[in-house]
Amino acid sequence: MKAKILFLHGFYASGQCVPAMALRNAFEGNAEVLTPDLPIHPKEAVGYIRGLIDKEKPDMLVGNSCGSFYAQMIAPTLELPALLGNPHFRMTEFLETRIGAHQYKSPRKNGKQDFIIDSQLIAEFAEMEAHQFDNCNPDYKERIWGIFGEQDTLAHFEPLFLQYYSHSFHFPGGHTPTAEEVQQYYVPLIKKMLTTNLCNQ
């Protein structure tokens, strides 16, 4: 039976973003990679992700940026391993300087490319941020890994990550990995995590 990976994209992205497509291409024929479009509101996004996990039963989560923020909160509660790419644990700081109208940087399946960042959205993220590590526990710290771009100019949360988890890796790129970086740096870690997880089941 093929392994199943659920990829959670970043805030400005979609399930058609470069890392998502690169993962699908890298695992074609060997594993199923789910790359859904996530709702913009955090509570709605987490509910949607949990529902998708219940339905699809993935073997692991892979996130980028805001998607990693979600993955870190969800993975321990459902006993899933997760690879957090450039996790953004302070989404409120990111959003506060970007209030106004925006467009997603990759196509959404529903065709809606416009969205608004406002004070309500920031407040929703603030509420979730305050409790984001509540589900972290010492028995699970080996199953959440982080990978951090050395040229990332948006998120600098490796020290915070290491307060809770042990496995930290680097790649030489920026906040959003290129297709080549996904292939070279993400895929080997995912394969290792999948092998360990499937052996433990």
Side-chain angles (χ1 to χ4, degrees):
M1 188 174 179
K2 289 183 182 179
K4 190 177 289 188
I5 301 161
L6 175 56
F7 175 77
L8 307 176
H9 62 73
F11 184 79
Y12 274 91
S14 74
Q16 303 298 310
C17 65
V18 169
M21 302 306 292
L23 282 178
R24 286 165 62 176
N25 291 336
F27 284 98
E28 187 174 4
N30 297 308
E32 183 179 359
V33 182
L34 307 174
T35 63
D37 292 347
L38 302 179
I40 191 171
H41 290 273
K43 286 184 180 179
E44 187 181 349
V46 167
Y48 174 78
I49 294 164
R50 285 181 174 276
L52 197 58
I53 290 171
D54 288 343
K55 178 183 176 183
E56 297 288 347
K57 302 194 176 353
D59 296 290
M60 71 173 290
L61 307 180
V62 178
N64 188 63
S65 191
C66 185
S68 294
F69 169 71
Y70 295 141
Q72 188 279 142
M73 289 184 284
I74 294 169
T77 66
L78 300 176
E79 298 187 349
L80 286 170
L83 178 63
L84 311 183
N86 288 324
H88 207 306
F89 296 134
R90 296 285 184 266
M91 284 298 298
T92 51
E93 294 177 5
F94 174 81
L95 296 172
E96 282 168 352
T97 60
R98 294 170 171 84
I99 291 175
H102 297 268
Q103 284 195 327
Y104 293 107
K105 294 181 179 179
S106 53
R108 306 275 290 192
K109 286 185 178 179
N110 63 8
K112 295 180 180 178
Q113 293 300 115
D114 299 308
F115 65 93
I116 301 289
I117 297 173
D118 56 20
S119 58
Q120 179 184 342
L121 181 64
I122 294 170
E124 290 175 21
F125 271 101
E127 183 180 347
M128 193 167 285
E129 261 178 35
H131 299 282
Q132 64 182 307
F133 294 108
D134 286 2
N135 296 321
C136 178
N137 66 79
D139 295 334
Y140 210 78
K141 66 185 298 184
E142 301 297 321
R143 302 189 72 193
I144 307 289
W145 294 8
I147 181 167
F148 298 86
E150 294 171 352
Q151 306 300 318
D152 188 353
T153 59
L154 286 177
H156 305 281
F157 297 109
E158 187 177 15
L160 180 57
F161 173 86
L162 289 171
Q163 290 181 30
Y164 297 92
Y165 303 109
S166 305
H167 297 281
S168 176
F169 304 89
H170 289 183
F171 70 99
H175 187 64
T176 302
T178 64
E180 293 76 15
E181 288 164 348
V182 168
Q183 178 70 49
Q184 186 172 353
Y185 299 100
Y186 281 61
V187 169
L189 293 177
I190 293 168
K191 287 181 176 179
K192 187 173 183 180
M193 295 185 82
L194 279 172
T195 299
T196 303
N197 185 53
L198 293 173
C199 288
N200 290 338
Q201 288 182 353

